[in-house]
Amino acid sequence: MSKTDFSDLTICKDAQQMLAKAREEGVETVWDRKRAQEPHCGFCELGLSCRNCAMGPCRIDPFGHGPQRGVCGADAHVIVARNVGRSVASGAAAHSDHGRDLVETLHAIGEGSTTDYTIRDPEKLARIAVELGIETAGKDTNALARAVSERLFEDYGIRRNSLAFIGRAPQKRRDLWKKLGITPRGIDREVVEMMHRTHMGVDNEPVNLLLHAARVALSDGWAGSLTATELSDVIFGTPTPRVAQVNLAVLKEDHVNILVHGHNPIVSEAILAATKDPGLIKAAKDKGAAGINLAGLCCTGNELLMRQGIPMAGNHLMSELAIVTGAVDLIIVDYQCIMPGLVTVAGCYHSKVITTSPKAHFSGAEHVEFSLDNARQKALQAVGMAIEAYSGRDPKRVFIPGSPVPMMTGFSNEAVIGALGGTLTPLIDAIKAGQIRGAVGIVGCNNPRVKHDFANSELAKELIKRDILVLVTGCATVSTGKQGLLMPEAASLAGPGLSAVCRALGIPPVLHVGSCVDNSRIMSLCAALATTLGVDISDLPVAAAAPEWYSEKAVAIGLYAVASGVFTVLGVTPPVLGSSVVAGLLTNGLEGVVGATFAIEPDPCKAAELIDARIRTKRLALGLSA
Ligand code: SF4
Ligand code: MSK
């Protein structure tokens, strides 16, 4: 029997329609593959399996009837902690390696070895140079680019007393990290040390392992990710508020449709420029198209959305479904969150998949390698390939559902502070007056274990109702944007205080602040608020939530938020419940160590209650009304 109602899998009408089309056309999606995997391995779900060496793989029986130690003698607590540590290392490595690519780009611009990229925000570059203690007098923009990139290269591995941007964290927080011995020393160093510690026979004490995991995560949040954000702004421009559009209806039936997918704006910005090439536009028209249409998926989509207002076709779980429209001619990817299944789905249509990074080849995809000295030429080539692919499109298989939803974007910290008149004082006043009771970052992904977009958007609705400002990044942006929460009109869904602030400023109650690496913007804002108020981040009425997370990057983000003092609610249970020590530390014990913990709550209404209670406690402790 063919299933046609997919409302149990996703709240989005466009996704439901595409799931029905996929089913009809015999196309397998992530949800089908997830079902085929069920039941998932119970040992792995609890974090109790280990394959770190060839004496194993090993598993611990959670009921006490089978083995309680791996072949090497590691118990449940060590195995779970090692697994958490490796996840954090992988997530931090992903963000930080992305950041390194931007340092290399900035350096190449400074050296003059690329002309395909320029510096669009030289003022921000100069501000960063001053922040890093670099002498700016007599240096032109290229010299500053060289000096800043050289300083930031040093964060990747060479031991220094501190990382370049660590001074942004409040003094109290830095003192605490120092006392705990978790001040990050080098981005690559912390990741490498975690891989070392989790090798058989190195660190076999779960608390010590988790403290180092916090250090790894901090090297991501206050260095790798922050570098990616700041240098993307320098090179591609610091975002400013604007209105764009979201959902599958941003695809255009009569245009050549190109989707960018992945994370780093280095490729997607080059593609954007190529889509404006008059010769290629003419070539598209010669093939019978009305023009070339570019839209984004996942975080590189967020990067283009924030800075250029390019529409978003969807988030993580929409990537295959976008192809099912039959209207996508080319999907061009860099790295991270690109499901290998995408190539198979594209193979069911005329759609071409192009990979661009030497780090990320996909079997079955065509590889057009981008480098800093050929990006413009390769982008023109890729767009040309999209135009060729358009000729193979089958109009009978094209179905683009619904109509686009408008969404406001571009709320960089600079834009927020600019809108407030150049200082944080109006925001602080609104918090003190209780108009804005607190702020919460809803970050992260989709996960087929959770009804698509439900938890992300319901949590946002519940929070704004309680006069809690919401900041979104990554795939949560699309979840909330599709529900209309990213438009100023959504102020009508907010509590009276937040609603009044939004109406006065003409802003939505849910602000889009960027991609996954841009969670560093939220940390920088929290740090600035705490420093202005003379308190620690853990004293602020703020929280974070990752209701639909799937990625190891989300584990790193969650841990750097907690280690920075931000209470963080996870909607998907991480594989830690096999160890009472690890689970207890993460959800309780860390409070006494770093002033924040994780909570695990899949129900978005209950998650909102937990966050509300936290914000209430923090407000009262600051002498404010609850
Ligand atoms: Fe088994 Fe220990 Fe090897 Fe892990 S490290 S696979 S628990 S022997
Ligand atoms: S893309 S890490 S699914 S937010 Fe950054 Fe989305 Fe999560 Fe990837």
Side-chain angles (χ1 to χ4, degrees), residues 152-414:
L152 292 175
F153 273 134
E154 291 178 1
D155 276 5
Y156 286 85
I158 294 177
R159 183 177 176 182
R160 294 181 60 103
N161 286 333
S162 71
L163 295 173
F165 291 115
I166 210 83
R168 283 195 195 179
Q171 188 63 52
K172 287 184 182 176
R173 184 63 25 186
R174 280 181 276 146
D175 291 346
L176 177 64
W177 291 338
K178 194 169 174 196
K179 193 173 112 203
L180 294 170
I182 59 171
T183 305
R185 299 156 294 181
I187 297 169
D188 291 350
R189 175 184 179 152
E190 305 307 356
V191 171
V192 168
E193 188 173 313
M194 180 54 86
M195 298 311 288
H196 176 196
R197 285 186 189 220
T198 53
H199 186 279
M200 202 296 284
V202 185
D203 198 352
N204 287 296
E205 204 287 306
V207 176
N208 204 43
L209 274 162
L210 290 178
L211 280 174
H212 186 66
R215 194 174 210 176
V216 177
L218 290 171
S219 79
D220 172 359
W222 294 91
S225 281
L226 189 46
T227 297
T229 295
E230 297 299 66
L231 296 195
S232 294
D233 283 358
V234 166
I235 298 167
F236 301 112
T238 302
T240 52
R242 65 186 75 219
V243 175
Q245 293 183 318
V246 61
N247 80 18
L248 287 183
V250 304
L251 297 170
K252 294 181 179 167
E253 197 162 349
D254 58 354
H255 279 60
V256 173
N257 286 306
I258 300 176
L259 291 177
V260 283
H261 184 8
H263 279 78
N264 202 321
I266 293 173
V267 171
S268 54
E269 285 274 357
I271 294 291
L272 171 61
T275 59
K276 295 176 180 165
D277 181 81
L280 286 172
I281 293 171
K282 182 174 177 308
K285 289 186 174 166
D286 289 346
K287 294 272 183 200
I292 303 170
N293 180 41
L294 182 67
L297 290 168
C298 288
C299 278
T300 205
N302 273 293
E303 299 274 349
L304 286 188
L305 173 70
M306 276 286 276
R307 296 193 181 86
Q308 319 294 354
I310 295 301
M312 278 295 268
N315 48 13
H316 178 50
L317 289 188
M318 295 302 294
S319 55
E320 291 177 328
L321 299 184
I323 295 173
V324 175
T325 61
V328 174
D329 304 298
L330 172 70
I331 179 158
I332 184 155
V333 307
D334 51 34
Y335 42 57
Q336 301 169 20
C337 301
I338 301 143
M339 288 187 276
L342 208 64
V343 180
T344 315
V345 175
C348 301
Y349 299 87
H350 73 294
S351 313
K352 202 169 250 319
V353 180
I354 294 183
T355 53
T356 58
S357 165
K359 299 171 196 174
H361 287 239
F362 284 57
S363 299
E366 212 155 318
H367 190 70
V368 176
E369 194 153 310
F370 277 52
S371 64
L372 292 175
D373 54 7
N374 71 9
R376 189 173 168 275
Q377 181 226 330
K378 293 293 172 184
L380 292 170
Q381 181 188 337
V383 174
M385 290 163 80
I387 296 166
E388 283 305 315
Y390 171 81
S391 307
R393 195 194 285 182
D394 179 354
K396 293 193 291 301
R397 291 187 74 193
V398 173
F399 172 43
I400 301 172
S403 48
V405 175
M407 64 186 286
M408 216 170 166
T409 175
F411 291 98
S412 59
N413 291 354
E414 289 85 344

Side-chain angles (χ1 to χ4, degrees), residues 262-263 298-299 316 336-337 444-446 473-476 516 550-551 553-554:
H263 279 78
C298 288
C299 278
H316 178 50
Q336 301 169 20
C337 301
C445 327
N446 306 128
T473 60
C475 290
C516 322
Y550 93 88
S551 157
K553 292 177 288 172

